[in-house]
Structures are given as C-alpha cells and as structure tokens.
Amino acid sequence: MGVRFEELAWRDTPIGLISLRRRRDLSLGVEVYEVKLDDEFLMSSLFPVAEIELARLGLAPLAGQGLDVVVGGLGLGYTARTALGDDRVASLLVVEAIEDVIDWHRRELLPFAAGLAADPRTRFVRADFFAAVADGTGFDPQDPARRFHAVLLDVDHSPRNVLHPAHAAFYTPDGLRRLAAHLHPDGVFALWSDDPPDPDFEAALAAVFRTARAHVVPFANPLTGGESANTVYVAQR
C-alpha cells in the first residue's frame, strides 16, 4: 500500500500538537483528510458515517421548524454540515476550542465541508465547550441565557476516554444536568463515542433525561476490509 502525506496546518495547543494532513492512499485511490493530536488520530475522512449520524439521529426526535442547534467540536465538519442539511435548522452555533480548526473551514481546506463557514446560519464561537457547561456561562457569548433545541457533541473519544481530565466531570449526572439547563423542554443532547455502549453512561443519561438511547452505528472499514462501529447516544428532556 502506498501513501503520500501533506501537512496542511498544525499548531501547539494546551492539549498537544493538533494537525490537519492530507494523504493520497494509492491502494484505495482516494485522498484522505486526517486530524491528529500529537501522534494520536482523532478523525479521518475515511470514516464519516458516525459523525453524519450524530446530526441525523440527534435532530430526528425534534418536531417543528426554526431549530437552534449547537455543535460541540468542529473537526472535519461532517456533523455541522449534516445539521445544516436539515431545512428545519435556523441557526447553528459551533463551539470549538481551537481557533486553527475554525480557520481550516474559513480557508476551505476541507472540500467536503465547503459552504459550512459561508452559510448565514453558521456562527463559530471559540470557547471550551466543557468549561461553558461547568461554569454556567452558556454557549452563546451574546446571550448567555440562550437555550437550544439540540446539542451535538463530538470532542472526546468516549465518556471514559477523554482528551483532558477536566472533561470527565461532564459525563456525570451533575455535569449532564448542567448541560440540560441549556436545552429547551424536549431538547436533545446527542454524543458521538468511539467505544461500544457504556451501561454506566447510559444510567447517567437516564438519571437526567426523559429518554435515552445508545445507537450502534456500523460502517465499512476500508483499512481492515471489514466492519467497525461507533456509538451515538441520543437523550431527550
């Protein structure tokens, strides 16, 4: 298998060196975009299915028009771009801690996410999603008390495998109650996870939300020639 790499952008951050790279996978005949944190892979354009399903499953339980949506963690943009594909979405607030990731999209370095930054419904907020929940400041600096119809989160690998120890408290009942306070009645919280469904986290969701379900999202893995799976949790007030 042959590959060729090109580093498109990189930056030292408080949690490590984050980089965006493009590689030509000669065996698959495709260009692959990847996000790495130090030597660890965070996202790949080879595996967008669960990020897309995060938006689709997260918005599915909602009724009505004029939906206000938060995406926590921008990454390659699949979740945000899919949310904008729902005509019911009136506004999309993307909360991203790393300015450079936002800049990737403003510079249109990711062709499959083209139009995300230019869409008039989109607004980027450079902020720590978890700190915004923990300290009660909210997601919208222009309106701290603002509530949303859906919050779609894709930052950590899973509730147990977090990128920074400070994130762990979010995945407890107390942390989830603070998050729920930023949702309208019947609002939805959805979460991407790289791990199988976690009964302890499902119990934490059930302690806070009226309904909670873990969706297993299978997808073809071209690297192994088999099938892999992620989890999308969907909880509704």
Side-chain angles (χ1 to χ4, degrees):
M1 180 176 68
V3 292
R4 298 176 181 175
F5 299 92
E6 180 185 1
E7 294 285 346
L8 299 177
W10 60 91
R11 175 77 64 181
D12 272 316
T13 76
I15 60 173
L17 177 67
I18 193 163
S19 62
L20 172 66
R21 71 177 188 174
R22 177 176 59 202
R23 63 183 176 88
R24 181 69 182 176
D25 192 308
L26 300 180
S27 66
L28 298 175
V30 297
E31 284 198 335
V32 181
Y33 290 79
E34 296 167 328
V35 180
K36 294 183 67 180
L37 182 66
D38 292 328
D39 292 326
E40 187 173 12
F41 287 94
L42 293 184
M43 294 182 177
S44 170
S45 61
L46 280 177
F47 312 112
V49 174
E51 284 86 351
I52 292 169
E53 287 298 288
L54 172 60
R56 192 188 70 80
L57 292 168
L59 297 179
L62 295 168
Q65 303 291 320
L67 301 181
D68 296 320
V69 178
V70 171
V71 168
L74 177 54
L76 294 176
Y78 285 107
T79 299
R81 197 72 191 86
T82 303
L84 287 176
D86 189 322
D87 292 338
R88 300 175 300 154
V89 173
S91 72
L92 182 72
L93 196 68
V94 181
V95 180
E96 171 57 54
I98 301 171
E99 180 67 33
D100 290 72
V101 176
I102 296 172
D103 186 57
W104 299 346
H105 289 269
R106 287 180 172 148
R107 293 164 56 196
E108 296 193 344
L109 296 180
L110 302 161
F112 44 80
L116 171 58
D119 193 300
R121 294 173 293 170
T122 303
R123 181 152 62 93
F124 296 117
V125 174
R126 186 194 175 284
D128 182 328
F129 176 95
F130 300 96
V133 173
D135 62 21
T137 56
F139 302 120
D140 188 346
Q142 299 176 10
D143 184 1
R146 183 181 178 190
R147 291 192 177 194
F148 297 86
H149 298 95
V151 173
L152 314 174
L153 180 60
D154 179 4
V155 174
D156 292 315
H157 295 300
S158 74
R160 292 181 183 269
N161 187 3
V162 296
L163 298 181
H164 191 282
H167 298 181
F170 172 81
Y171 299 100
T172 66
D174 284 345
L176 294 170
R177 286 189 189 97
R178 286 190 283 269
L179 179 280
H182 298 287
L183 291 170
H184 288 298
D186 296 323
V188 170
F189 168 59
L191 172 74
W192 175 92
S193 172
D194 194 34
D195 289 346
D198 182 333
D200 289 341
F201 183 62
E202 290 181 85
L205 287 171
V208 176
F209 292 91
R210 176 170 51 87
T211 65
R213 180 181 173 187
H215 299 263
V216 176
V217 179
F219 56 91
N221 188 329
L223 299 182
T224 65
E227 187 175 85
S228 297
N230 292 153
T231 301
V232 173
Y233 298 93
V234 179
Q236 188 168 22
R237 289 191 69 186

